[in-house]
């Protein structure tokens, strides 16, 4: 039996009284978002593919392991330590000699004989890079005996800079995933799609009506850093998002009413993998690029689909840490708002008092509630720019900076509000202006962050279903 909702096989082949073996296959299409099985990692283009999976599951015992390298270093197979040929089993897909930065590789073995098992050990070592010599090693062990505990484990050297985590399904056709990461240099977390769904009693989901692009952008704006997304409550966020889009009057936004049972379905990318997870109404959303699958949840980890640009770890040669246009647009506005708002807020309170919100009369759509403090709000980038137009001299004081710096950022904010696709030129000009403005206000660190967006060449988008997005 596979997933009872998607694929079911029934057979009487075990009935000794049956003259003919009858097999019935039932398939059912899911109502909404895709749901991945534990062996999804072997079924995507760019890896060893479904042929590897089909070969492995025909054997009474087999092992399929994916090693995901989320670091900036390439890892090479150290055959002088543990030799692949010493493993017990038949190599259907050999272990890669190199696993490049921000990529992965799958390998698989089957048992040789009916009562035989599969076991072995591999060692991957960080390759020399620039001034850094060959460094720490990662030991990967796998075991699927005929009788006994089945496991995939991995560990780094003592005092290693790397963190290694392994997950396995524990079945006779063992599937394991090993993630290698450096906590001091984690990859980007990119939210690709957000959708409001309703979980049905059957366990299936029904997508709510309306635009997912608007909700996706609002989720992206909730990211606390390029590596993390934290929201205390799905229901609270959906209510806030519906209220905000209702006020904005956007004809493409999703419905202003939020059902109490609405959940949030997120598709997101970490390094070479794309994940899908549904968060229930009362659940917090906590995603971190420092955790496998963003949450550490096994079902999400095993359901990974690779980023098509990075599929095939053995062939991947360059880290994919360049930001997409959407990411650059979001970061440009967020960096500016987070850095300047304390200064602007001080000017508002000094000139207008604690009740400044009433006097500035900003549209409700431009104000976001912050924390549990009554009346504590923060403007979005569009709202901040309106305030800067009014109080430019007080904010920049004696720096001599011209308010013409606002124009490129206003262009980006306007295109963002209209959900238009901002070009590299628009984003770059906005980042240059934002950096100059922040530097005029003495905010050097934030200015440096904006300048990084100026110097970064564009990266093409990748579709989770294969091929490049336009």
């Amino acid at each position: 039996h596979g997933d009872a909702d998607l694929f079911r096989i029934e057979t009487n082949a075990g009935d000794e009284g049956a003259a003919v073996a009858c097999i019935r296959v039932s398939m059912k299409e899911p109502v909404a978002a895709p749901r991945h099985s534990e062996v999804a990692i072997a079924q995507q283009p760019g890896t060893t593919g479904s042929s590897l999976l089909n070969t492995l599951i025909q054997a009474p015992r087999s092992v399929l392991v994916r090693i995901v390298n989320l670091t900036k270093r390439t890892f090479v197979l150290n055959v002088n330590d543990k030799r692949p040929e010493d493993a017990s089993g038949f190599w259907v897909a050999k272990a890669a000699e190199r696993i490049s930065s921000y990529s992965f590789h799958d390998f698989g073995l089957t048992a040789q004989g009916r009562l035989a098992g599969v076991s072995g050990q591999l060692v991957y070592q960080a390759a020399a890079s620039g001034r850094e010599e060959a460094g720490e090693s990662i030991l990967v062990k796998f075991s699927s005996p005929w009788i006994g505990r089945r496991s995939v484990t991995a560990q780094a050297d003592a005092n290693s800079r790397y963190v290694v985590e392994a997950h396995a399904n524990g079945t006779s056709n063992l599937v394991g995933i090993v993630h290698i990461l450096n906590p001091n240099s984690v990859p980007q977390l990119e939210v690709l799609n957000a959708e409001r769904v309703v979980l049905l009693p059957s366990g299936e989901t029904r997508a709510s009506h309306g635009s997912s692009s608007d909700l996706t952008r609002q989720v992206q704006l909730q990211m606390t850093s390029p590596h993390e997304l934290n929201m205390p409550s799905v229901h609270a966020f959906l209510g806030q998002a519906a209220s905000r889009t209702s006020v904005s009057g956007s004809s493409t936004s999703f419905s202003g009413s939020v059902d109490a049972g609405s959940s949030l379905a997120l598709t997101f990318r970490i390094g070479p993998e794309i994940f899908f997870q549904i968060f229930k109404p009362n659940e917090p959303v906590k995603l971190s690029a420092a955790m496998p699958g963003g949450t550490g949840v096994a079902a999400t980890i095993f359901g990974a689909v690779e980023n098509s640009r990075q599929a095939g770890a053995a062939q991947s040669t360059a880290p994919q840490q360049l930001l997409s246009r959407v990411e650059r647009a979001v970061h440009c506005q967020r960096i500016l708002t987070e850095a300047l708002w304390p200064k602007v807020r001080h000017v508002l309170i000094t000139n207008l008092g604690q009740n400044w919100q009433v006097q500035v009369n900003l549209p409700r759509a431009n104000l976001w509630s912050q924390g549990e403090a009554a009346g504590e709000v923060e403007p979005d980038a569009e709202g901040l720019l309106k305030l800067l137009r009014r109080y430019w001299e007080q904010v920049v004081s004696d720096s001599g900076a011209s308010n013409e710096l606002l124009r490129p950022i206003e262009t980006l904010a306007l295109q963002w509000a209209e959900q238009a696709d901002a070009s590299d030129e628009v984003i770059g000009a906005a980042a240059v202006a934002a950096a100059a403005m922040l530097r005029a206000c003495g905010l050097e660190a934030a200015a440096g962050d904006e300048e990084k967006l100026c110097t970064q060449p564009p990266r093409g988008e990748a579709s989770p279903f294969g091929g490049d997005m336009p």
Side-chain angles (χ1 to χ4, degrees), residues 362-438:
L362 274 181
R364 183 183 169 191
N366 293 134
L367 293 173
W368 291 74
S369 176
Q370 296 296 313
E372 299 179 354
E376 193 67 29
V377 297
E378 178 179 324
D380 60 10
E382 186 179 354
L384 181 76
L385 292 169
K386 292 176 181 177
L387 293 172
L388 285 171
R389 275 287 177 195
R390 299 182 201 177
Y391 301 97
W392 178 259
E393 294 299 331
Q394 293 94 320
V395 174
V396 300
S397 61
D398 299 327
S399 69
S402 169
N403 62 5
E404 288 299 308
L405 290 173
L406 293 170
R407 289 188 180 277
I409 313 171
E410 289 170 333
T411 299
L412 174 61
L414 178 62
Q415 292 188 6
W416 182 265
E418 294 176 347
Q419 299 187 23
D421 292 328
S423 66
D424 292 315
E425 290 74 18
V426 168
I427 298 170
V432 169
M437 189 187 308
L438 290 165

Side-chain angles (χ1 to χ4, degrees), residues 253-272:
S253 63
F254 58 88
S255 172
S257 61
V258 178
D259 188 286
S262 292
S263 298
L264 182 64
L266 294 179
T267 303
F268 53 96
R269 176 189 292 129
I270 300 176

Side-chain angles (χ1 to χ4, degrees), residues 431-449:
V432 169
M437 189 187 308
L438 290 165
R439 187 162 282 114
C441 295
L443 301 169
E444 188 64 37
D449 290 339

Side-chain angles (χ1 to χ4, degrees), residues 280-456:
K280 296 180 180 179
N282 295 324
E283 282 185 325
V285 177
K286 294 184 178 181
L287 294 179
S288 172
M291 297 187 67
T295 60
V297 175
T300 302
I301 295 170
F302 280 106
V305 178
E306 64 267 19
N307 175 355
S308 61
R309 275 182 172 264
Q310 296 169 301
Q315 289 75 38
S316 179
T317 59
Q320 297 289 325
Q321 285 297 286
L322 302 181
L323 299 178
S324 67
R325 288 192 182 95
V326 171
E327 287 175 313
R328 293 171 69 209
V330 170
H331 292 328
C332 179
Q333 297 174 81
R334 184 186 297 124
I335 292 168
L336 179 70
T337 304
E338 290 180 352
L340 270 184
W341 173 237
K343 192 176 182 69
V344 174
R345 182 175 181 273
H346 175 73
V347 170
L348 293 174
I349 293 176
T350 301
N351 286 272
L352 305 176
Q354 294 291 341
N355 200 28
W356 61 266
Q357 296 176 48
V358 176
Q359 299 186 56
V360 298
N361 196 30
L362 274 181
R364 183 183 169 191
N366 293 134
L367 293 173
W368 291 74
S369 176
Q370 296 296 313
E372 299 179 354
E376 193 67 29
V377 297
E378 178 179 324
D380 60 10
E382 186 179 354
L384 181 76
L385 292 169
K386 292 176 181 177
L387 293 172
L388 285 171
R389 275 287 177 195
R390 299 182 201 177
Y391 301 97
W392 178 259
E393 294 299 331
Q394 293 94 320
V395 174
V396 300
S397 61
D398 299 327
S399 69
S402 169
N403 62 5
E404 288 299 308
L405 290 173
L406 293 170
R407 289 188 180 277
I409 313 171
E410 289 170 333
T411 299
L412 174 61
L414 178 62
Q415 292 188 6
W416 182 265
E418 294 176 347
Q419 299 187 23
D421 292 328
S423 66
D424 292 315
E425 290 74 18
V426 168
I427 298 170
V432 169
M437 189 187 308
L438 290 165
R439 187 162 282 114
C441 295
L443 301 169
E444 188 64 37
D449 290 339
E450 290 283 8
E451 287 176 337
K452 291 177 183 177
L453 299 176
C454 307
T455 58
Q456 187 165 155

Side-chain angles (χ1 to χ4, degrees), residues 52 55-63 88-92 108-113 117-118 173:
L52 170 59
T55 300
L56 295 177
I57 63 176
Q58 291 179 45
R61 295 291 181 273
S62 66
V63 172
S88 174
F90 175 77
W91 285 93
V92 178
L109 305 88
T110 60
Q112 294 179 309
V118 179
N173 295 111

